[in-house]
């Protein structure tokens, strides 16, 4: 007992010292242990839940082949991206994540501009991702009502009000329950794993022996969206890409994790591996017990609830099982909002937002960036207004989050490769060999380019105003806001992250550019 406490204190002091070297003092409490941080990361990905509640994206657009093999493709590509970014995280464990890393490896003359745009896209991407959780949760509740009451006629404003309720619950938990969030995230991980196991066993047991064939589950291709077959399958990758998006949560929460340089990179990769394994097994179980694809796609109860009913032949049983993903959505929206607010806080701390001093403020008694939480919540509710006008809202918001975050994942490794691939410190806790760094970075960049192009396409043909994919409009607005704020505010007030850091051997590395050492005292003075 006497030995462990000093060791823990030494680790925390080392983490604070590393953060100080990057120009920031330790303001947030390092309350998250390995399991609680793994719980937060997995709650954000929440792969099996995200996949099961978004089957309407891939089932008509590629069918089972896009659902299962698309997951493998997306998983391996994201694993490459995560491995490339894990090196950056090990070298520079700061909540700024991608925009901080982009600044460090960029050409000195362009560092500030690239960092600024990356930061804005990342902030916007996390807001969009935050919006997906209350959207999925509200969809589950509306589907449950329609399932139990066939005369119920769902209205978009019904779902919008439930969507707002999910958002406000997450805001309250993040604001007033911050000290129990580590326990909350442990519970999220355990609840998710329990739901995964219970649902898999139940549907297989109840459906026996009436299963789909292996040829259907692993080889059936479906195209009900009007695009050519190849394009249809590629568009179906959106489900897999969405289910694995958000693994950079570990980076944005890194200032609340002890022993950040070693634990952060491992947790980032573990989340994807667990997500891939649980997602593949869960989706395989659902596809084996699915009875009729057309009935599932047209069901007013939604694909997941209809498949559960196909397996159990019991409305009560189906409702009991769907409670697991419903509660998971409460955990998910809370975890995503936590991470989104930390990303906003970090970017504001470096002067990247209008009124940065407001959003970079940590509440003195609650120990959380309350203003950043409110910022996230307001924008999530604004995103939800799309519900009232488009029938393909979910496609638009998920595509916007995948595209925005994917672009920020690719920027640091792309710049690093363009500058020779050797811009990181030589001695870091997590390090790839040079060939592996190039391979992982190139695969991840290629995946980002593919998804960025694909996911702005409309999900089906013919295109109408109601099924149009407004992702391109949303992403264009992100870029426009970043450009306008840079011209009128950012180029004068944004100093960016500090670029003098030390590697594990204590050797200082200086990255000269347009930056000055943006310490906390300087920021407050400005």
């Amino acid at each position: 007992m006497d030995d462990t406490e000093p060791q823990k204190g030494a680790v925390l002091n080392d983490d604070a010292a590393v953060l100080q070297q990057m120009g920031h003092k330790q303001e947030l409490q390092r309350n998250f242990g390995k399991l609680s941080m793994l719980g937060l990361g997995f709650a954000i990905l929440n792969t099996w839940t995200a996949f099961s509640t978004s089957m309407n994206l891939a089932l008509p657009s590629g069918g089972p082949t896009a659902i299962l093999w698309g997951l493998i493709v997306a998983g391996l590509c994201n694993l490459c991206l995560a491995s490339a970014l894990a090196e950056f995280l090990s070298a520079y464990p700061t909540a700024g994540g991608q925009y901080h890393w982009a600044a460090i490896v960029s050409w000195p003359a362009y560092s500030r501009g690239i960092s600024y745009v990356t930061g804005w896209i990342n902030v916007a991407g996390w807001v969009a991702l935050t919006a997906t959780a209350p959207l999925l949760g509200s969809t589950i509740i509306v589907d449950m009502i329609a399932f139990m009451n066939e005369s119920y006629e769902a209205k978009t404003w019904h779902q919008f009000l439930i969507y707002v309720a999910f958002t406000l619950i997450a805001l309250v938990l993040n604001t007033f329950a911050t000290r129990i969030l580590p326990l909350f995230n442990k519970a999220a991980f355990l609840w998710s794993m329990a739901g995964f196991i219970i649902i898999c066993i139940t549907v297989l047991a109840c459906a026996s022996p009436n299963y789909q064939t292996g040829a259907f589950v692993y080889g059936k291709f479906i195209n009900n969206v009007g695009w050519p077959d190849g394009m249809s399958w590629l568009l179906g990758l959106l489900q897999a890409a969405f289910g694995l998006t958000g693994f950079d949560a570990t980076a944005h929460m890194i200032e609340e994790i002890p022993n950040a340089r070693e634990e952060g990179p491992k947790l980032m990769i573990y989340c994807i591996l667990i997500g891939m394994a649980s997602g593949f097994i869960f989706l395989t179980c659902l596809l084996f017990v699915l009875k009729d694809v057309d009935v599932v796609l047209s069901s007013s109860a939604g694909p997941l609830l209809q498949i559960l009913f196909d397996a159990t032949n019991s409305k009560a049983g189906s409702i009991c099982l769907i409670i697991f993903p419903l509660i998971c959505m409460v955990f998910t929206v809370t975890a995503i909002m936590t991470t989104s607010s930390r990303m906003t806080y970090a970017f504001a701390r470096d002067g990247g937002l209008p009124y940065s001093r407001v959003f970079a403020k940590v509440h003195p008694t609650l120990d959380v960036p309350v203003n950043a939480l409110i910022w996230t919540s307001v924008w999530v509710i604004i995103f939800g207004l799309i519900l009232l006008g488009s029938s393909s809202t979910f496609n638009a918001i998920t595509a916007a989050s995948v595209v925005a975050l994917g672009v920020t994942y690719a920027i640091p490794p792309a710049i690093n490769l363009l500058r020779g691939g050797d811009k990181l410190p030589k001695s870091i806790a997590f390090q790839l060999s040079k060939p592996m760094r190039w391979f992982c970075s190139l695969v991840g960049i290629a995946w980002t380019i593919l998804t960025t192009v694909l996911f702005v396409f409309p999900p089906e043909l013919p295109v109408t105003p109601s099924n149009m994919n407004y992702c391109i409009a949303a992403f264009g607005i992100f870029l426009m806001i970043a450009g306008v704020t840079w011209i009128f505010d950012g180029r004068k007030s944004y100093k960016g992250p500090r670029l003098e850091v030390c590697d594990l051997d204590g050797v200082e590395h200086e990255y000269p550019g347009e930056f000055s050492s943006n310490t906390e005292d300087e920021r407050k003075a400005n």
Side-chain angles (χ1 to χ4, degrees), residues 37 58 196 231 242 288 345 348 385 395 425 437 453:
M37 192 60 229
F196 161 73
M231 187 66 175
F242 165 63
F288 266 116
Y345 156 78
L385 292 173
N395 295 68
R437 179 183 303 128
V453 173

Side-chain angles (χ1 to χ4, degrees), residues 383-396:
F383 262 93
L385 292 173
I386 305 174
L387 270 171
L388 303 176
S390 172
S391 63
S392 59
T393 307
F394 184 59
N395 295 68

